[in-house]
Amino acid sequence: MARHVYPINRSWLYNSPPVAGAMQPEFDDSGWEPVTIPHTNRRLPWHSFDEREYQFVSNYRRHFRLPPNLQGQRVFVDFAGVMTAATVFINGTRLGAYQGGYTPFSFELTPHLHWQGDNVLLVEVDSTERADIPPFGGQIDYLTFGGIYREVALRIVAPTYIENVFAKPVDVLGDDRRVEVRCLLDSRDAAAAPQRLVAELRDGDQVLAAAEADVQVAGNVFEQVLTLGDLGNIKLWDLDHPHLYQVQVRLEQAGQVVDDYAVRIGFRDARFTPDGFFLNGQHLKLRGLNRHQTFPFVGQAMPARVQRRDALILKHDLKLNLVRTSHYPQSPAFLDCCDEIGLLVFEEIPGWQHIGDQAWQDIAVCNVEEMIRRDWNHPSIILWGVRINESRDNHAFYARTNAVAHALDDSRQTGGVRNFFESELLEDVFTINDFAYPTIAKPNHPLHFNTEFIGHTFPTKHIDNVERVQEHAFRHAHIHQQLAADKRYAGGVGWCAFDYNTHGDFGSGDRICYHGVSDIFRIPKPAAGFYRSQCDPADEIVLEPAFHWAIGDRSGGGGPGTGMICSNCDELKVYIGDELVAELQPDRARFGSLPHPPFFCDQLRGVWGARWHDLRLDGFLGGRHVIQKRMSAAGVDRQLHVAADDAVLLGDGIDMTRVVLRVTDEYGAARPFATGAMQLLLEGPGEIVGESPFALTGGVGAVWVKTREAAGQIRLHATHPVLGTQLVEIAVQAAPDEVC
């Protein structure tokens, strides 16, 4: 009988503070709040709140019944992520505690279950910043929020089952390419009969290779490696064609399937070398940004669809080839999407500068193991981060983290992000945060990878004046030019993709670090246009001014002055009104190592007191007009745009989508100083996750729409005090009931 995995993300009950006796099955929980998972223990404003508001202990209860036909199997509860520590009870019995908010954990429920009646899980969640658990103990420049913020499932398996599978492609570019399938088995059956382990490599319904072995796993933990060889031609996983295969493993006894386990893999060779980074034997300059997995209003408690959307933004909107998961393992749904779309990942353990005592370090070493065991099959991951971000050297500690990483996975290199060049290197790749400007340091190690720049040294908001927002874009381009010009740099990961909530010791005094090239709602600032412009025109033709169009927003007035324009065109024509003022070529003299150097126009000036005209930019490729962008001189808020990321959601009480609010001129160009309290009215099976009225900042903002447990049609009316009302409609499909 094969395994069964049943999500239990609905029908939870929540209460804070904890109540004595709440773990007992007979406890009266009728007054508790019904919630779904992912869940944040406290919804908050998107800025200017006190982070102590979510730092408390709370309780979650879940009643469930088991399918009677599965009696005799082993039952586990699997938690994907609970912030920060969890103590778990089943039917009044304490199973144990787990410390750490970013890695998964499980408890076996089998001895304590009622197969014919009600069972009750109780999870006590401590969301305080406990100094004994990474990343805490010092100051950290991000918020962790609280609650059961990732998914929960019941896993029902045979007495002997497959605990994990690492399907490792080997010699991908050689003639002996193969997959070494490491199968980890667990048995509590002391009298288990001989069994057979079978592994298959599949491409859709086609079986490409198979291997099998007899195993005897009576009452212990056992490891078996099966090799899938003689593969012939296979499709490589790369950025443009991220082909995924499936490895299926079965445990059989007397011809019957006892357990099964499936993973997705990709065949790719990823390696940092003295000549830079190579993917499948081809040199690739890494161009990335750092990502925090937090969101306005609910912190980290966003469902899979929203987590995946971030990967899509990074790859398709910002045109990146890599993301760093600063500073902790991130959502499995996010990583799955990176696999599917061809976005490389540098993943690292939780931490920020501080190293705690020996017990703290032991947890961090466990974090390395848990991160790798969870994510070792993701082809998108090319580097394991095994050092606490920006921490000082600690030879014994980091010798342990590197040893664990190499023992678990010898196919990937390790890195460890520091912020000083004299650091001892125990990892394979010298990964460093270098915020020097205008010139970053020369590589001091053959394998050199810049993992942060710009960021906190130049925070920028939508509402900043034209000089600052343009300088923000210029600085990102300037550093990437230096990285591109020297093959010894593997590339760089700017700080950062999105603005994020932070502690009061950091940021702009409102609990936000405005370090992103996009804001906290994932809405791009002008600097995002630089990253977007570096894609091949065959992917998308990009034309993004790095400035606002106004006569007097620059010191001294007279328009933007010299305007930076980010584009992958090879020629631009610039018109002010009907007058052609410039014909531009990319600035190859200063940015010649970039795939697509920015353009600069010195003629974007006006005379104070004279009439100000519209701006028109025409882009050309090979002499052919391919794109146009206009910006109005009127200085009037003309259009309201309201758009949802998704038109169809699942009515499970969990699914969500972002709704972006924007005020523009008549051409669709941003109005960075537009305001307005947006009134939001929702009809149908959903709720608004956000504020209503919502006050626009920099002419933009966003809320999320969350479904209720029902099907139907959501109608969101968004009303601006001047520009009227826009309607967004979202179809909500019926969701199947949870089994347990």
Side-chain angles (χ1 to χ4, degrees):
M1 182 179 293
R3 69 175 50 208
H4 296 78
V5 177
Y6 299 120
I8 51 168
N9 296 312
R10 297 149 71 179
S11 304
W12 284 83
L13 299 170
Y14 173 77
N15 191 72
S16 180
V19 181
M23 73 288 296
Q24 299 302 328
E26 64 275 11
F27 176 83
D28 181 8
D29 55 20
S30 59
W32 286 27
E33 177 189 359
V35 300
T36 56
I37 306 298
H39 179 258
T40 183
N41 65 352
R42 180 69 51 83
R43 285 196 188 179
L44 298 162
W46 65 273
H47 68 118
S48 301
F49 55 84
D50 187 338
E51 63 265 24
R52 290 173 295 185
E53 292 182 38
Y54 63 76
Q55 294 182 38
F56 55 84
V57 180
S58 56
N59 280 175
Y60 292 80
R61 273 172 67 95
R62 177 59 154 82
H63 296 257
F64 65 93
R65 288 176 176 266
L66 293 163
N69 62 309
L70 298 181
Q71 189 166 355
Q73 305 288 87
R74 297 172 67 181
V75 182
F76 295 81
V77 60
D78 299 331
F79 294 90
V82 178
M83 189 59 68
T84 299
T87 304
V88 180
F89 299 81
I90 181 67
N91 295 329
T93 298
R94 185 181 186 274
L95 298 175
Y98 182 81
Q99 298 177 341
Y102 296 104
T103 44
F105 60 95
S106 302
F107 287 104
E108 184 165 4
L109 310 180
T110 313
H112 315 289
L113 291 171
H114 305 140
W115 280 93
Q116 306 303 322
D118 189 45
N119 295 277
V120 181
L121 272 172
L122 185 284
V123 187
E124 184 175 278
V125 178
D126 183 351
S127 299
T128 60
E129 296 186 356
R130 289 176 41 172
D132 60 329
I133 303 174
F136 304 117
Q139 294 174 307
I140 60 170
D141 172 28
Y142 54 94
L143 297 183
T144 56
F145 302 97
I148 303 179
Y149 76 98
R150 288 183 186 157
E151 294 74 13
V152 187
L154 290 177
R155 174 168 42 100
I156 304 177
V157 295
T160 299
Y161 74 99
I162 305 166
E163 188 269 329
N164 203 338
V165 169
F166 180 21
K168 181 177 69 175
V170 178
D171 196 21
V172 169
L173 303 182
D175 295 332
D176 188 30
R177 66 180 63 89
R178 60 197 182 277
V179 183
E180 294 179 356
V181 185
R182 180 183 173 195
C183 307
L184 306 175
L185 308 178
D186 186 297
S187 176
R188 292 296 179 266
D189 185 356
Q195 295 173 322
R196 194 159 193 78
L197 197 62
V198 180
E200 295 176 340
L201 176 67
R202 290 176 170 264
D203 188 3
D205 294 332
Q206 183 181 7
V207 178
L208 304 181
E212 56 185 51
D214 292 327
V215 294
Q216 179 74 43
V217 197
N220 62 9
V221 176
F222 181 83
E223 180 176 320
Q224 176 74 46
V225 177
L226 300 176
T227 300
L228 301 171
D230 194 20
L231 302 183
N233 292 325
I234 50 92
K235 299 174 184 176
L236 294 178
W237 185 98
D238 62 27
L239 303 184
D240 297 324
H241 303 94
H243 192 83
L244 294 171
Y245 292 86
Q246 188 175 70
V247 173
Q248 293 186 343
V249 179
R250 299 190 306 274
L251 187 63
E252 299 177 349
Q253 182 174 320
Q256 299 295 314
V257 175
V258 175
D259 194 19
D260 61 306
Y261 199 112
V263 300
R264 293 191 311 182
I265 66 168
F267 288 87
R268 58 102 185 102
D269 183 80
R271 187 65 42 182
F272 290 84
T273 79
D275 292 323
F277 176 76
F278 285 78
L279 180 65
N280 298 331
Q282 301 297 313
H283 181 262
L284 176 67
K285 188 68 73 169
L286 296 172
R287 184 178 67 253
L289 289 166
N290 287 267
R291 181 228 185 200
H292 274 302
Q293 69 175 10
T294 53
F295 296 83
F297 313 120
V298 297
Q300 302 183 108
M302 280 293 188
R305 184 187 302 275
V306 180
Q307 300 287 353
R308 291 175 60 87
R309 175 63 58 179
D310 267 10
L312 295 172
I313 291 171
L314 296 171
K315 171 78 175 188
H316 296 311
D317 294 352
L318 297 177
K319 311 298 184 182
L320 307 179
N321 56 31
L322 180 136
V323 59
R324 173 179 169 223
T325 68
S326 48
H327 303 288
Y328 37 78
Q330 298 190 359
S331 161
F334 175 79
L335 296 175
D336 285 343
C337 192
C338 292
D339 290 343
E340 293 161 14
I341 64 178
L343 180 63
L344 301 174
V345 178
F346 170 20
E347 186 174 40
E348 64 183 349
I349 57 173
W352 201 84
Q353 295 189 347
H354 169 78
I355 300 175
D357 60 15
Q358 188 62 47
W360 190 102
Q361 294 174 38
D362 291 343
I363 294 175
V365 173
C366 286
N367 287 161
V368 175
E369 179 176 359
E370 291 157 346
M371 174 181 71
I372 293 175
R373 285 172 54 88
R374 188 193 75 167
D375 293 332
W376 50 16
N377 290 304
H378 287 286
S380 57
I381 297 175
I382 60 169
L383 193 64
W384 297 123
V386 299
R387 183 183 176 110
I388 303 300
N389 174 69
E390 295 187 342
S391 60
R392 305 307 295 176
D393 288 344
N394 185 314
H395 180 87
F397 177 33
Y398 290 132
R400 290 177 67 196
T401 62
N402 276 276
V404 167
H406 287 130
L408 288 170
D409 178 14
D410 60 2
S411 69
R412 291 178 177 90
Q413 293 162 299
T414 61
V417 175
R418 67 264 291 146
N419 58 357
F420 58 105
F421 281 87
E422 67 276 12
S423 170
E424 178 189 27
L425 179 65
L426 297 175
E427 303 82 31
D428 301 312
V429 182
F430 192 83
T431 45
I432 186 162
N433 297 342
D434 181 2
F435 286 91
Y437 191 85
T439 304
I440 57 175
K442 292 295 183 183
N444 69 330
H445 185 274
L447 310 184
H448 186 105
F449 187 28
N450 186 312
T451 45
E452 290 184 29
F453 53 86
I454 307 301
H456 74 274
T457 64
F458 206 81
T460 306
K461 307 174 182 68
H462 289 293
I463 59 174
D464 287 332
N465 72 9
V466 67
E467 293 165 292
R468 190 166 190 90
V469 296
Q470 179 161 281
E471 177 67 15
H472 189 215
F474 182 90
R475 290 187 177 211
H476 277 273
H478 183 71
I479 297 300
H480 274 290
Q481 161 62 23
Q482 294 179 52
L483 295 168
D486 190 334
K487 72 175 185 179
R488 294 175 297 171
Y489 295 115
V493 192
W495 188 262
C496 57
F498 313 123
D499 295 345
Y500 57 95
N501 291 124
T502 191
H503 287 84
D505 305 302
F506 303 90
S508 295
D510 61 352
R511 298 306 194 275
I512 292 183
C513 280
Y514 293 93
H515 302 170
V517 303
S518 299
D519 69 17
I520 198 168
F521 301 104
R522 282 60 177 160
I523 300 171
K525 305 173 190 176
F530 161 71
Y531 286 90
R532 188 175 180 84
S533 71
Q534 296 307 293
C535 73
D536 191 309
D539 174 17
E540 182 179 354
I541 298 170
V542 177
L543 177 56
E544 296 288 350
F547 51 82
H548 316 317
W549 186 239
I551 184 66
D553 194 39
R554 178 177 63 89
S555 301
T562 298
M564 176 181 176
I565 305 167
C566 302
S567 179
N568 52 12
C569 293
D570 53 32
E571 181 185 4
L572 297 181
K573 292 184 179 181
V574 181
Y575 296 83
I576 299 180
D578 295 326
E579 180 185 359
L580 175 65
V581 299
E583 297 184 58
L584 305 176
Q585 303 295 318
D587 188 349
R588 295 188 177 88
R590 288 188 294 172
F591 295 92
S593 296
L594 293 177
H596 302 286
F599 296 75
F600 293 87
C601 182
D602 295 329
Q603 288 77 31
L604 299 182
R605 303 177 186 276
V607 177
W608 189 257
R611 186 177 177 187
W612 187 239
H613 296 277
D614 292 354
L615 176 70
R616 188 179 100 211
L617 305 173
D618 287 343
F620 298 82
L621 281 171
R624 183 170 60 92
H625 182 262
V626 292
I627 192 172
Q628 183 178 94
K629 175 106 28 172
R630 290 176 177 265
M631 303 176 79
S632 176
V636 178
D637 302 338
R638 293 292 193 191
Q639 298 179 3
L640 173 65
H641 301 266
V642 182
D645 287 335
D646 303 279
V648 180
L649 297 178
L650 190 63
D652 57 2
I654 298 167
D655 207 4
M656 295 172 66
T657 190
R658 179 183 61 158
V659 178
V660 176
L661 315 168
R662 297 174 59 243
V663 172
T664 72
D665 66 16
E666 57 266 39
Y667 303 121
R671 294 284 300 146
F673 306 113
T675 58
M678 299 285 299
Q679 297 290 338
L680 305 173
L681 173 65
L682 187 143
E683 302 169 336
E687 63 174 306
I688 296 169
V689 177
E691 300 167 359
S692 180
F694 182 93
L696 297 176
T697 301
V700 297
V703 296
W704 277 258
V705 169
K706 180 180 181 180
T707 63
R708 298 194 186 278
E709 294 186 59
Q713 189 81 2
I714 290 175
R715 294 167 57 87
L716 178 66
H717 305 263
T719 302
H720 186 273
V722 175
L723 299 173
T725 300
Q726 294 285 318
L727 173 66
V728 170
E729 295 186 296
I730 301 169
V732 182
Q733 298 178 341
D737 293 333
E738 289 188 339
V739 173
C740 297

